[in-house]
Amino acid sequence: MFDVPVPDPAARAAALERLDGLVKPLGALGRLEEIAAWLAAAHGSVPPRPLDDVRVVVFAGDHGVSALSAYPREVTAAMVRVFLAGKSGVNVLAAQVGAKVRVADLGVDWDGADLPASVTAHKIRRGSGSIDVEDALEPGEAQAAFEAGRAIAREEGDADVLIPGDMGIGNTAMCAALVAASLGLPAAEVVGTGTGVDPAGLERKTAAVAAALARASGRVEDPFSRLTALGSACVAATAGFLVEAALLRIPVLLDGVFSGAAALVARDIAPGAERWWLAGHRSTEPSQAFALKALGLEPILDFGLRLGEGSGAVQAVPTLRAARAIIADMGLLADLA
């Protein structure tokens, strides 16, 4: 059992008092005020610290159900090189807000021997089992991947904000299965079109997730058993990353469906960790909506994004900075002449 710290209630109360005293009507800045108070509680100070050091960690891995995707699984390995070259969607978007991007290969199905050691230092395996017919991971691998994610969070432990990203063809089918198993939902309610499969592809994908849920029935109560049966090394590592960020008192911006699925499992492993997370944006995938509702999180942005990589959460960084600015820089009614 993890002893997850509680964001500072005294700092939150002081932040709310200051927000009510700013030169504006009560509550006039809406969600910005909620976020400002949340940041103050996370940092234990009013105003919160500047959010200068924002870091994205893209957890990469292949999935045995990737045949259901509109893209071949070889894309995952190719995209790892794109991240390293600084040319991916999240690289470009992160640069706009001064965020750094790191990619970690936890389960890409390739050798990758020529990659920098930092990329493969925490690799667990090559690919994962096809969850409709077999377990995703071998016994012990879910725990090992979870601990790898914790280690990665510690390596990024001086960040002001952490963002978990993802890359892996077949991600959304795996995430749908994890969310369904976590919340007791049928496959038909959680499966979406992912990378853009056609109606026939969606039907096949839904059938595969339903088969995975039936196969894993009775083995999903324990979160590590759930990860073994239905997850992947990269999603297990993301869960560990989220838990460790909470233990380190680092605010986290969740991205889309992948980090939502990981967050559900992380919350089951370390109840209370969710108090350190915000939802950066609303995904087009239905399973994310179920995950965020269960976590009690409301997305900051809704741009219709479905890229993954951490790209949606990165777009919410300016909103967090704006929330901090109002509590740090706006004048007080009491100071008016």
Side-chain angles (χ1 to χ4, degrees), residues 57-184:
V57 178
V58 179
F59 292 86
D62 281 307
H63 309 282
V65 291
S66 61
L68 300 167
S69 175
Y71 292 88
R73 68 188 304 170
E74 289 79 11
V75 169
T76 306
M79 282 301 301
V80 170
R81 297 195 187 281
V82 176
F83 291 123
L84 292 173
K87 296 296 184 180
S88 74
V90 73
N91 288 126
V92 171
L93 295 171
Q96 302 307 303
V97 299
K100 302 168 187 172
V101 177
R102 170 183 177 181
V103 59
D105 173 2
L106 274 296
V108 181
D109 189 10
W110 68 336
D111 180 76
D114 63 324
L115 296 180
S118 60
V119 176
T120 57
H122 299 286
K123 185 155 185 165
I124 301 298
R125 57 179 287 160
R126 290 181 57 161
S128 61
S130 187
I131 58 174
D132 51 337
V133 296
E134 62 184 332
D135 281 356
L137 302 173
E138 295 295 328
E141 287 181 338
Q143 183 74 53
F146 180 84
E147 293 301 328
R150 294 185 64 197
I152 290 170
R154 291 192 294 271
E155 291 165 7
E156 306 296 336
D158 51 352
D160 296 316
V161 176
L162 288 173
I163 295 173
D166 63 278
M167 182 62 225
I169 302 303
N171 266 355
T172 58
M174 177 273 295
C175 290
L178 265 188
V179 171
S182 298
L183 301 177

